[in-house]
């Protein structure tokens, strides 16, 4: 005899949570469609894409994690081409894991030819209120064995005198996000580290499957994550646009703004972020000039107005300090344009005429604000040193093939 199934949909807590989640998505979509930049159909489509990608990420961030069975994963954010909300750097491979602050964990692995990495711990993140930072680990400060091996211990009661590297956890935080950024500066040389995490004191009855009330709680967090994330993107646009009714009236267009820290929103506390909204015609070019930099890491990258990193595998949409070709005076001079200007430091916005360009500094002496000059594409070389090399179409094609292979190799593709 088949077991009877009682329909309790109306009373189910997950139904109410799902209704709230669907309402949140609908509200964010309506906000997007009503925004002044959404009158451009290309920009509108980019925003709708960003909203859908955040919905996918919300599952990974708040519904899926099993905090006593953690694993470092390459989440759907960031990935090349597909999931790129939040303007992740093309030079970072970002892993996330989720742990319970009442338990003790061991992170271990081998650094191999890893250039540099950082680990941030958040007691709360988008979807749970204001970002709460528990700790920050700079891999420059971690001892490694001769074979590159390392250990990091996390727990509510660290043994600070046992010679091991400890980070104290908050036992009241039950969904601590670990965010590890692995830096690829030389894309051809740098390799992925070996990375593992284990729970040292897992409860014997720790569940792998959720009761309905817990699932409903997680669905609510997923909705709050999408709302916060999308509102943050809107605020980032409005901050630069000000109160102007048309993007083409903004006086700060095609100019980098002063240094800003995104640490309060989950950005790295070692970093400074300098951004610009660019607007290009088919025969326009922006000549970017930055004096010599002292930093552990720096890079330029492009993105959409909705804070999506543009494709960096098939386009040279980013350049970092290891890839840059410097002039004799040690200045970095680049050209941002829709068409290839035939110079080494071309920043290709991947066919997006209006978007964002972001400069990052990590562990820097001074966060410099580059100068930008808008010129006609056919006059670019009049604004560059005479010694600037010429890059032929054949050379560009070969460089892009090498870039594609190096970028995808990071993801095992």
């Amino acid at each position: 005899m088949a077991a009877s199934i009682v329909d309790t949909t109306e009373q189910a807590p997950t139904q109410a949570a799902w209704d709230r989640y669907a309402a949140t998505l609908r509200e964010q979509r309506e906000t997007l469609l009503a925004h002044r930049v959404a009158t451009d159909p290309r920009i509108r489509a980019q925003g709708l894409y960003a909203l859908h990608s955040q919905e996918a990420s919300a599952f990974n961030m708040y519904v899926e994690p099993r905090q006593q069975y953690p694993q470092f994963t390459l989440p759907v954010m960031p990935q090349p081409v597909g999931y790129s909300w939040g303007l992740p750097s093309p030079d970072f491979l970002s892993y996330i894991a989720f742990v319970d602050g009442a338990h003790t964990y061991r992170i271990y692995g081998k650094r191999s030819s890893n250039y540099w990495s950082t680990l941030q711990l958040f007691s709360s993140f988008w979807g749970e209120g204001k970002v709460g930072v528990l700790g920050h680990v700079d891999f420059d400060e971690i001892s490694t064995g001769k074979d590159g091996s390392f250990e990091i211990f996390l727990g509510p009661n660290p043994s600070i005198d046992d010679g091991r590297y400890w980070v104290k956890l908050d036992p009241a935080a039950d969904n601590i996000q670990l965010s590890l950024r692995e830096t690829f500066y030389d894309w051809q040389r740098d390799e992925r580290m070996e990375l593992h995490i284990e729970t040292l004191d897992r409860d014997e009855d720790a569940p792998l499957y959720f009761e309905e009330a817990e699932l409903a709680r997680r669905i609510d967090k997923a909705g709050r994550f999408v709302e916060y994330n999308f509102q943050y993107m809107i605020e980032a646009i409005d901050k630069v646009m000000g109160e102007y009714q048309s993007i083409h009236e903004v006086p700060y267009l095609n100019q980098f703004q002063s240094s800003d820290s995104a640490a309060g929103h989950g950005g790295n506390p070692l970093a400074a972020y300098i951004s610009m909204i660019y607007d290009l015609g088919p025969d326009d070019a922006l000549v970017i000039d930055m004096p010599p930099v002292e930093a552990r890491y720096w890079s330029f990258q492009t993105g959409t107005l909705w804070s999506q990193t543009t494709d960096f595998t098939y386009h040279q949409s980013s350049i970092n300090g290891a890839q840059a070709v410097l002039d004799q005076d040690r200045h970095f001079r680049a050209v941002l344009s829709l068409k290839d200007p035939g110079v080494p430091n071309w920043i290709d916005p991947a066919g997006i005429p209006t978007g964002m360009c972001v400069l990052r500094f990590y562990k820097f002496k001074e966060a410099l604000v580059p100068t930008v000059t808008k010129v006609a594409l056919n006059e670019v070389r009049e604004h560059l040193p005479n010694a600037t090399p010429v890059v032929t179409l054949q050379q560009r094609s070969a460089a892009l093939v090498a870039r594609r292979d190096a970028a995808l190799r990071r993801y095992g593709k």
Side-chain angles (χ1 to χ4, degrees), residues 150-196:
F150 66 90
E151 287 185 315
I152 302 170
F153 291 86
L154 319 173
N157 300 300
S159 302
I160 58 176
D161 297 324
D162 64 3
R164 298 183 292 182
Y165 192 103
W166 277 90
V167 179
K168 181 176 175 56
L169 300 183
D170 178 0
D174 63 357
N175 186 40
I176 296 173
Q177 178 184 324
L178 311 181
S179 177
L180 191 149
R181 295 180 177 97
E182 186 175 10
T183 306
F184 288 75
Y185 220 26
D186 183 339
W187 288 18
Q188 308 300 325
R189 186 195 68 86
D190 295 341
E191 297 179 2
R192 285 173 58 169
M193 68 167 67
E194 179 185 325
L195 182 64
H196 309 280

